[in-house]
Each structure stands twice: as structure tokens, then as C-alpha cells.
Amino acid sequence: MALTGQVKEELARVRVAKTSCRKAEVSATLRFSGGLHIISGRVVIEAELDTESAATRLRHAIHDLYGHTSELIVVQAGGLRKSSRFVVRVVREGESLARQTGLLDARGRPVRGLAPEVVSAGVPEAEAVWRGAFLAHGSLTEPGRSMALEVTSPGPEAALALVGAARRLGVAAKSREVRGIDRVVIRDGDSIGRMLERIGAPETLKVWEERRERREVRGTANRLANFDDANLRRSARAAVAAGARVQRAFEILGDELPEHLRQAGELRLAHKQASLEELGRLAEPQLSKDAVAGRIRRLLSTADKRALELGIPDTEAGLSADLLDL
């Protein structure tokens, strides 16, 4: 099951005993599912949800808390709809429910954000608001560079109210408009985990954290592999450059080359891919890594000095630009 569907199925099973929290959840669910409609001058509540369990939860809450009956309409998948949708509709007592849940104010005017009593409530109610908003129009993406917990909002006022509710829960959320649609987004991984825990989805949180950890481990392994590959390429290029310079040094110095420097240079030419430590073990008698490096360095500097005196190209003359940068 996709993470979004998994969260919603888990949230639909959360048991809430506190009445104010149940009312806050219903209010948020109706608000973020586009619940308020005016049809032929009559207020109708229609909440469109994408899971049957969320629709059933909303219908039970409306009946238990406010005593209103509702009907469930299933809109089958087809055309642009990839999955079925579930519409909870209250027609006969729609205006009464709209007033009770804060969708309409005392004068019968639509409330753009959330009801004042919901906005000013405590932390448990803030959790319920986020639970209701996510059930209505939330999504959770896979862990990664573009991971996000997101709720699509019916307008900027409702989005700001949801950001404020997240702040009361100690979670940083941001409101933004994308192509004319208001969204509330949480992108930080730790904040996403905290919100999932607060709204009642610990099982999904565990799955999400496991996937996040696996991705981080895989990313670290890839970075280390890339780093090792780069080091190997750099070492190979350095060996090629060193071999070319030693060969030129032999040409410049000829018979003037001291025997101990000649031995180090011949080892470098004979074993171009070997490390300095490996060259030291191949020498007779064996030499330390620093001793081999020192002899090769003196060989090159002696040859460059002699080339300068003779006015001929030095040991770096035949190297390409990328080898000179090593």
C-alpha cells in the first residue's frame, strides 16, 4: 500500500474519547474536503474523501456528535479518476451542521479559515485538526530528497490556520501557493516523523523511518564508492605522470644519473600502477615509502635543474594539462 493510503487507513482507526477533539477533527475534515456547498439557495454539506474508512469515520462522528444522518455516495474510478471517491452528503440538515462545525458563522456567512473555537483550542485539538485535514486532503511521499507531508487547502486562510496548529505541536510547516492551489507542506524528515506520531500513525511512521534509514545508508555507500573511484582515478593519473617524468629525467641525465636514483626511477617505470609503499618492498634492499618518494623527487629535481642549464625541455614538458594539475 502507498504511504498516503497507509496513513489514512491508520488514522481512520484512531480512537478519540475527548468530544472537543472529535469535533475539531470533523470541522477540519469538512473544511479541507470542500464540504460547504450552496445548491438552489440551500446549504448542503458534501465531503469528498478518497478512502471508505475515512468516510465511514466521518459519518459516525456526524451522527454521534450532532445527531445528523448522512448518505454515502461512491464515485467509481474512470477517466481522469484513478481510484474511487467517497462522498459524505448531508442535505436536509446541512445548514445546521455547517453552523455547528464552524463552516458558517453566527450570521450565516461562510468561514474562510477554521472555526475560532478550533483555532484557539489546545494541543490535543491541534492534533485532531491535522488528523482531519490529512484524512480529507493529505499526502505523504517516500523518504528522499523531495520527501514531504502535504495537505491541500481550500484557501490561504485555512492553510495559515493549519500552519498555526502545527506550530502548537512543535512542528515547522509552511504555507505556499502552487499554480493557484494553496498547500501546507512539511519537508524536514524529523518534523514529518513528529507529525505522524502526533496525529496517530505510529505504524506508518515505523515503515517510513525504516525506508528513510535504508535510503540514507544506500546514499552514504554510493558517496563512498564514488569517492573511492575518484581516488583510484587520481592515483592512476598520478602514476602515469610520474612515469612520464622519470622517463624524461633518464633522457636528460643519461650516464650522469646516480645509481641509487636510477634504481628508484627504474622501479617506477617497471611498476607504474604500484604505490610508493609497494615500490619500497620491491627495492633491494627494501626501502620505506618516504625513502622511495624522496629518491624519485631528487631524481626529478636534478633532471629539471640540468635541463634548465642546457636550455632544453624539463620533465614536465611532455605532460598534458590535466596531468600537470595533479
Side-chain angles (χ1 to χ4, degrees):
M1 183 186 297
L3 285 174
T4 296
Q6 189 171 339
V7 176
K8 292 186 177 183
E9 288 297 330
E10 189 172 359
L11 295 183
R13 298 193 304 267
V14 174
R15 293 184 176 275
V16 181
K18 193 175 180 181
T19 301
S20 61
C21 292
R22 295 188 70 190
K23 288 185 175 181
E25 182 183 320
V26 170
S27 178
T29 302
L30 294 177
R31 189 72 186 92
F32 283 85
S33 61
L36 185 64
H37 299 273
I38 309 296
I39 300 176
S40 300
R42 189 177 186 180
V43 175
V44 175
I45 299 296
E46 280 191 356
E48 185 174 327
L49 304 168
D50 52 10
T51 65
E52 186 174 4
S53 56
T56 301
R57 180 183 179 88
L58 177 60
R59 294 186 69 201
H60 288 165
I62 290 173
H63 183 270
D64 294 345
L65 296 171
Y66 306 107
H68 301 308
T69 58
S70 60
E71 58 180 317
L72 178 63
I73 301 170
V74 180
V75 181
Q76 299 294 340
L80 296 177
R81 294 183 181 272
K82 295 182 180 181
S83 58
S84 298
R85 305 287 291 179
F86 302 88
V87 180
V88 176
R89 176 182 289 175
V90 179
V91 178
R92 190 175 60 180
E93 299 164 317
E95 183 171 352
S96 174
L97 179 60
R99 291 178 183 274
Q100 290 170 316
T101 54
L103 299 182
L104 294 176
D105 63 15
R107 297 184 179 181
R109 297 173 301 187
V111 175
R112 290 186 172 274
L114 291 173
E117 58 270 20
V118 173
V119 172
S120 60
V123 170
E125 287 77 13
E127 294 173 347
V129 164
W130 262 92
R131 185 164 52 250
F134 193 95
L135 283 169
H137 228 144
S139 64
L140 175 65
T141 60
E142 292 283 343
R145 188 172 299 175
S146 58
M147 60 185 174
L149 189 156
E150 182 176 291
V151 175
T152 302
S153 174
E157 296 85 358
L160 290 175
L162 198 59
V163 170
R167 190 181 304 115
R168 293 204 298 278
L169 300 177
V171 177
K174 292 185 177 181
S175 171
R176 60 192 183 96
E177 182 182 329
V178 180
R179 293 188 292 273
I181 299 175
D182 292 284
R183 304 176 189 274
V184 178
V185 184
I186 303 172
R187 292 205 176 278
D188 177 70
D190 293 337
S191 296
I192 291 174
R194 196 175 307 121
M195 181 58 78
L196 289 173
E197 184 177 12
R198 297 302 295 262
I199 64 178
E203 295 175 13
T204 309
L205 171 59
K206 184 178 179 181
V207 173
W208 190 85
E209 288 287 8
E210 288 174 354
R211 294 183 186 179
R212 181 187 179 195
E213 185 176 347
R214 282 202 302 269
R215 185 179 181 89
E216 288 176 352
V217 169
R218 189 164 57 247
T220 301
N222 289 339
R223 285 193 297 273
L224 290 175
N226 292 337
F227 179 76
D228 290 342
D229 289 346
N231 280 343
L232 288 173
R233 288 194 298 272
R234 192 178 297 110
S235 297
R237 290 166 60 203
V240 170
R245 292 191 67 193
V246 168
Q247 183 66 51
R248 177 58 183 163
F250 281 179
E251 296 172 359
I252 295 171
L253 296 174
D255 296 336
E256 301 175 17
L257 185 61
E259 184 58 31
H260 68 292
L261 300 185
R262 181 185 297 279
Q263 182 192 26
E266 288 175 345
L267 282 172
R268 178 76 282 172
L269 290 176
H271 308 280
K272 292 183 178 180
Q273 300 301 322
S275 66
L276 291 173
E277 187 174 355
E278 290 170 336
L279 292 180
R281 289 198 296 267
L282 293 169
E284 295 181 4
Q286 290 190 4
L287 300 171
S288 68
K289 177 178 68 174
D290 292 337
V292 174
R295 291 186 181 189
I296 293 175
R297 190 163 52 246
R298 285 196 297 276
L299 167 62
L300 298 178
S301 63
T302 301
D304 287 339
K305 184 177 179 181
R306 183 61 176 155
L308 182 62
E309 293 172 354
L310 297 174
I312 60 176
D314 61 13
T315 61
E316 293 185 341
L319 299 183
S320 60
D322 61 330
L323 295 180
L324 284 172
D325 291 336
L326 293 172

